[in-house]
Amino acid sequence: MRPFLKVHNGIIGRFPLIIKEDITTSQAAWEVLLNAIKEIDNKVYQFLINSPDGTLRVIGPKKRKKGNLIIVSSPFPPLFKHLLFTLPKYFKSKVEKDDFFTEVISINELFGKPGQYYIVSDEVVNLTKAVKDFKAYIGLDVSPRYIPIDFKRKKGKYYYLFNIMTSETVALVKFLRYSGVGENRCCSNNDIEIYSLGE
């Protein structure tokens, strides 16, 4: 393990909330979320409305028996940890670690084994933007090293196969799961999935 990784042990990720509000769009879900954050901590709210796109994302809503399911995602460790501990209590919505929609990952865990990775994205994957986001949210510089093996677009999705050469580049790609892709990341519902295919 590289020495600098020992001090970057914050957490990022995404978690589900069930909210009672009758909403049908991601923009409405975003507004409900912002209003809740404002009531919980106005300083965090002021920080968010002045932050770059991608600092906080909401995915959903999806109808459930008990209300509307939304997924809250953030690549910024202090913010993610704060929201993970405050939002579920505010909405009276339990977050369980073994829930399908719950992903809590330490910064160290992002740095996976180099090899082939398959990416399915709703928008074009922009690693140049990801490098800037990684520096802004995690505080680390990464120079991506990878070989594109395959690419196709089908039914509005983008499919990539990369041979990733370094663990830092693996971290950068996995980071996209939480920072998001495309424009208007806060509430566009664009998402990305990353699969390791091994060496």
Side-chain angles (χ1 to χ4, degrees), residues 2 25 179 190:
R2 297 186 177 220
T25 67
S179 64
N190 290 328

Side-chain angles (χ1 to χ4, degrees), residues 26-43:
S26 56
Q27 181 64 45
W30 173 251
E31 290 169 6
V32 167
L33 194 63
L34 278 186
N35 286 334
I37 292 168
K38 186 176 184 179
E39 288 190 28
I40 294 168
D41 192 329
N42 188 56
K43 289 182 180 178

Side-chain angles (χ1 to χ4, degrees), residues 53-64:
D53 182 40
T55 304
L56 179 66
R57 301 169 55 222
V58 61
I59 302 162
K62 298 178 186 295
K63 288 287 186 184
R64 294 293 186 269

Side-chain angles (χ1 to χ4, degrees), residues 1-175:
M1 179 181 293
R2 297 186 177 220
F4 67 76
L5 292 184
K6 293 180 181 178
V7 298
H8 288 85
N9 57 359
I11 57 171
I12 62 174
R14 47 205 282 172
F15 60 90
L17 291 173
I18 296 292
I19 61 176
K20 305 300 183 184
E21 285 80 353
D22 186 18
I23 54 174
T24 57
T25 67
S26 56
Q27 181 64 45
W30 173 251
E31 290 169 6
V32 167
L33 194 63
L34 278 186
N35 286 334
I37 292 168
K38 186 176 184 179
E39 288 190 28
I40 294 168
D41 192 329
N42 188 56
K43 289 182 180 178
V44 174
Y45 169 78
Q46 292 297 328
F47 165 77
L48 275 172
I49 62 175
N50 292 293
S51 294
D53 182 40
T55 304
L56 179 66
R57 301 169 55 222
V58 61
I59 302 162
K62 298 178 186 295
K63 288 287 186 184
R64 294 293 186 269
K65 287 183 180 179
K66 296 182 178 180
N68 284 295
L69 169 71
I70 64 171
I71 311 294
V72 179
S73 178
S74 178
F76 187 42
L79 177 65
F80 177 74
K81 186 175 181 180
H82 178 74
L83 297 181
L84 179 62
F85 284 102
T86 58
L87 285 176
K89 184 177 179 181
Y90 178 89
F91 285 107
K92 297 180 175 61
S93 179
K94 186 181 292 186
V95 174
E96 299 179 352
K97 64 180 181 179
D98 57 351
D99 188 289
F100 176 77
F101 297 106
T102 302
E103 299 174 27
V104 179
I105 183 170
S106 73
I107 302 306
N108 287 355
E109 289 177 287
L110 287 174
F111 292 77
K113 196 172 183 180
Q116 290 193 353
Y117 283 78
Y118 188 60
I119 301 167
V120 182
S121 177
D122 291 327
E123 285 288 346
V124 171
V125 170
N126 186 336
L127 290 184
T128 301
K129 181 186 285 187
V131 167
K132 294 177 182 177
D133 285 345
F134 202 81
K135 175 65 175 178
Y137 297 124
I138 307 300
L140 300 176
D141 289 304
V142 174
S143 297
R145 291 183 57 202
Y146 65 98
I147 300 171
I149 298 174
D150 193 23
F151 167 78
K152 63 182 176 181
R153 185 179 182 188
K154 186 177 180 181
K155 295 183 179 178
K157 288 188 179 289
Y158 299 81
Y159 299 84
Y160 300 83
L161 180 59
F162 289 158
N163 188 11
I164 298 180
M165 314 299 288
T166 65
S167 61
E168 289 86 354
T169 310
V170 172
L172 188 68
V173 169
K174 290 168 71 176
F175 173 80

